Amino acid sequence: MTAVTLEALDLAALLCSRVCHDVISPVGAIVNGLEVLEDEKDASMRELAFDLIAKSARQASARLQFARLAFGAAGSAGAAIDTGDAEQVARAFVSDENTSLGWTGSRLLLPKNRVKLLLNLILIADNAIPRGGALDVEVLDEGARFVVRAKGLNARIPPHAPELMAGRTADGTVDAHAIQPFYAGLVAEAAGMDVSFAIDADVVTITAGLRA
């Protein structure tokens, strides 16, 4: 494995590509629904189009709000983020998927990089169960430790996620598909947290804790 060296502009561009990838599908569905409304006179078809537009708008909004906290500045340097806000955007993010979300832990104001890391770990865990299932999030030790579990059919640690979080790839490069776990590793480093992965049968467990 080779350490990845990435210019700031390239990191920004790849993250933008990732966000655009996440929202282009629901936005495209909204456009399709509007085109149906323009041309269709049948009441039942128009109702289906309205339903499609409403669902897709909710999905696009949820994905953008999640990205704002997970990838965005989320306030000035040194700002804190409410874990209640993180829970809210995470629930909205998975609401249109075949996935449930459990969340335990006191509502806390934590340094923003810790909360950004938690949301990025939820994204990685969600990718561990491509057929859906259950995500379980624990905020422990006053926010000093996170445990995220993903349970579902054919659960697996997302390919190369541990290496990407460690800042390494086979050829020392990273693309838009892999930028999210790589970015999560950068956030973990900034937050002073170590991350580990484990799998047992159909459960993938991701644990993050403050360094001693």
Side-chain angles (χ1 to χ4, degrees):
M1 289 291 173
T2 304
V4 176
T5 301
L6 198 61
E7 297 291 336
L9 283 176
D10 291 332
L11 174 62
L14 289 169
L15 283 175
C16 287
S17 294
R18 166 60 196 249
V19 173
C20 290
H21 176 271
D22 285 350
V23 300
I24 196 168
S25 177
V27 170
I30 292 170
V31 172
N32 291 338
L34 291 172
E35 290 176 348
V36 170
L37 288 179
E38 288 179 355
D39 302 331
E40 186 61 58
K41 303 302 181 183
D42 182 76
S44 61
M45 290 298 296
R46 290 178 65 85
E47 183 177 354
L48 288 174
F50 276 120
D51 288 343
L52 173 65
I53 291 169
K55 178 181 178 181
S56 300
R58 287 193 301 270
Q59 189 177 60
S61 176
R63 292 184 180 187
L64 285 171
Q65 289 184 55
F66 188 97
R68 176 177 173 272
L69 282 188
F71 304 132
S76 60
I81 299 177
D82 190 327
T83 57
D85 293 337
E87 178 183 359
Q88 182 178 4
V89 299
R91 289 193 182 281
F93 182 83
V94 303
S95 63
D96 286 325
E97 301 180 16
N98 188 28
T99 303
S100 63
L101 176 67
W103 190 293
T104 57
S106 302
R107 187 167 185 167
L108 302 166
L109 277 175
L110 295 178
K112 68 178 181 181
N113 282 332
R114 278 197 236 171
V115 180
K116 287 161 68 74
L117 175 61
L118 176 57
L119 290 174
N120 275 273
L121 295 182
I122 291 171
L123 269 182
I124 294 171
D126 189 48
N127 289 331
I129 45 173
R131 297 189 180 184
L135 296 175
D136 182 64
V137 178
E138 292 183 278
V139 179
L140 304 168
D141 303 334
E142 294 300 309
R145 188 162 63 96
F146 307 135
V147 179
V148 182
R149 296 182 181 87
K151 181 177 182 180
L153 183 64
N154 296 330
R156 80 285 188 273
I157 296 173
H160 312 299
E163 296 87 350
L164 285 162
M165 287 203 66
R168 297 180 176 276
T169 64
D171 59 2
T173 64
V174 63
D175 58 17
H177 179 72
I179 193 60
Q180 187 270 320
F182 176 80
Y183 173 75
L186 297 178
V187 177
E189 184 65 27
M193 302 186 83
D194 291 320
V195 178
S196 62
F197 293 80
I199 185 167
D200 181 12
D202 60 353
V203 180
V204 171
T205 301
I206 309 174
T207 304
L210 286 176
R211 294 172 187 153

